[in-house]
Amino acid sequence: MQAALSVIIPFYCVERYFGECLESVAEQTLRDLQVIMVDDGSTDGSRHIAEKYARRDSRFQLIRQPNRGLGAARNTGLQEIRGRYIAFADSDDIVAPDAYELLVGVLEESGSDIACGGVQRFNRDGFYPSSLHEGIFDEEVKGTHITRQTKLLGDRTVWNKVYRRSFWDDHGLIFPEHQLEDACVTVPAHVLATSVDIVTGPVYFWRHRDDGPPSITQRLFDLDIIEGRMSQVTTVSEFLATHDAHLKETYDLVALEHDILILVTALPHVGDPAYRKKLVRYTKNFLASVDPRVMDQLNENARLCYRILQEGSMDEILRFVEEQPRTAFL
């Protein structure tokens, strides 16, 4: 039977947090849900938590697959959707109680393709603003677009949104199978959408893990995360280059202020000299693709960092990065 909304929740070894996530979805004020839990090869008790929800609530279904990563698990879930709308949740986070009713309701009224809402971070000490989403959800706007609200380029997470399924299917959206895959879908979706609705939030609570295995976004310097970040930046920048030159410039500035600086900051943490050279080569190639006017908008420290990267030796680059406070570029 068709549901109003299909919610896809991949999970992998999140026993500590999973029940809280599922309960937040089960208790949504929008009751007409299909909840697709995708077990991406968990080896802890997460599967038993999912089985409990599948037994007690007919809206919940469990799919199992060998471990292939978050993007692949989301794609598996997409094969099972029956809803008129689509949403995603990460298994260690919490969805606000009325989030789906609010986001689906806005889309029903406006006819837009995407509705997105505000985000707060949280840990054991409480809730605090998400710096990634700062300034994007300050006011409600219906029927807008990323070309008119370029701040939406910062709205690169997949889980604070509801998508119209017909829009998703028409454009054949699919997740890449590497780390940090969200922006590779969310930015093109914003561009391809006919219109987008912005609601003030928060609709989603993004956990910063205090204990247990760190989340993907907390493993900045792992090689698979570094590779994923490079793939993400390349995919998004190249997509925008073929669709909207102004948006590309705006995105390139965001990348230079955040993602590329993180890659540079990672250099002292990479032990393999050959991989360090690869990382520097990637960064130089990206800088070469950026309009010089974008570079002029960076703060003085970032411009200095990139100038040393382009002109200095590896020792000079490493020395500069190591002399910076750890939070200087993060």
Side-chain angles (χ1 to χ4, degrees):
M1 294 177 61
Q2 189 179 56
L5 176 68
S6 294
V7 185
I8 297 171
I9 310 177
F11 65 94
Y12 175 75
C13 296
V14 284
E15 180 179 9
R16 188 185 305 265
Y17 309 113
F18 195 25
E20 194 173 5
C21 171
L22 294 182
E23 193 63 20
S24 75
V25 175
E27 295 300 316
Q28 286 292 301
T29 55
L30 177 67
R31 306 300 297 169
D32 189 10
L33 302 177
Q34 175 200 18
V35 185
I36 305 166
M37 304 173 291
V38 183
D39 181 359
D40 191 37
S42 291
T43 56
D44 67 352
S46 301
R47 184 187 66 188
H48 303 301
I49 296 171
E51 288 172 341
K52 180 182 73 173
Y53 275 83
R55 283 194 304 269
R56 80 181 196 187
D57 191 330
S58 61
R59 300 175 301 168
F60 284 70
Q61 67 185 86
L62 175 59
I63 301 171
R64 298 188 180 94
Q65 68 177 34
N67 181 247
R68 291 170 50 205
L70 183 58
R74 286 173 174 164
N75 292 334
T76 295
L78 284 166
Q79 297 172 24
E80 302 294 326
I81 56 176
R82 301 193 307 269
R84 300 190 307 276
Y85 298 96
I86 306 170
F88 301 87
D90 280 357
S91 53
D92 54 351
D93 297 335
I94 298 173
V95 185
D98 62 347
Y100 295 146
E101 181 179 23
L102 175 62
L103 294 170
V104 169
V106 168
L107 291 178
E108 293 274 84
E109 292 175 7
S110 69
S112 293
D113 294 318
I114 306 170
C116 47
V119 177
Q120 282 191 338
R121 301 226 58 180
F122 73 103
N123 57 20
R124 66 160 64 98
D125 296 322
F127 295 86
Y128 56 97
S130 168
S131 59
L132 183 64
H133 301 86
E134 184 178 4
I136 300 174
F137 302 100
D138 292 344
E139 61 178 325
E140 183 171 305
V141 184
K142 293 182 182 177
T144 189
H145 191 262
I146 196 170
T147 52
R148 300 192 296 277
Q149 299 268 349
T150 55
K151 64 184 181 180
L152 287 171
L153 278 168
D155 179 39
R156 297 177 304 207
T157 49
V158 73
W159 28 246
N160 61 320
K161 301 171 178 62
V162 165
Y163 302 84
R164 190 176 297 276
R165 180 183 177 179
S166 58
F167 161 76
W168 190 280
D169 290 345
D170 286 347
H171 293 285
L173 297 175
I174 192 169
F175 290 92
E177 296 188 14
H178 60 65
Q179 303 284 17
L180 301 181
E181 69 290 328
D182 279 27
C184 301
V185 170
T186 55
V187 174
H190 268 304
V191 174
L192 295 170
T194 302
S195 63
V196 174
D197 300 330
I198 302 172
V199 303
T200 55
V203 300
Y204 195 88
F205 301 106
W206 179 15
R207 185 187 301 271
H208 184 281
R209 297 186 187 180
D210 296 295
D211 47 23
S215 65
I216 290 172
T217 52
Q218 291 174 245
R219 295 189 286 113
L220 290 176
F221 304 138
D222 288 8
L223 291 187
D224 60 334
I225 305 299
I226 292 172
E227 287 284 337
R229 193 174 301 279
M230 290 190 289
S231 296
Q232 170 192 281
V233 170
T234 299
T235 297
V236 174
S237 188
E238 289 181 350
F239 174 87
L240 293 175
T242 64
H243 285 78
D244 191 298
H246 175 64
L247 281 178
K248 180 187 184 303
E249 290 182 10
T250 306
Y251 173 76
D252 287 349
L253 178 61
V254 171
L256 288 169
E257 291 175 333
H258 180 69
D259 294 285
I260 304 300
L261 282 178
I262 289 176
L263 294 177
V264 176
T265 306
L267 283 168
H269 302 269
V270 174
D272 182 359
Y275 196 89
R276 279 183 180 170
K277 291 180 181 178
K278 173 184 175 179
L279 197 49
V280 169
R281 186 166 59 251
Y282 171 86
T283 305
K284 287 182 176 179
N285 288 341
F286 183 79
L287 291 170
S289 74
V290 172
D291 189 298
R293 293 173 298 180
V294 175
M295 299 295 295
D296 293 339
Q297 298 176 61
L298 294 169
N299 65 45
E300 183 179 350
N301 202 37
R303 289 199 302 272
L304 175 60
C305 174
Y306 289 134
R307 187 162 63 249
I308 293 173
L309 185 92
Q310 290 175 304
E311 301 172 1
S313 66
M314 182 65 77
D315 286 343
E316 289 174 306
I317 298 167
L318 292 174
R319 186 162 55 249
F320 175 80
V321 173
E322 289 172 337
E323 287 173 353
Q324 304 302 310
R326 190 179 188 280
T327 57
F329 297 144
L330 302 182

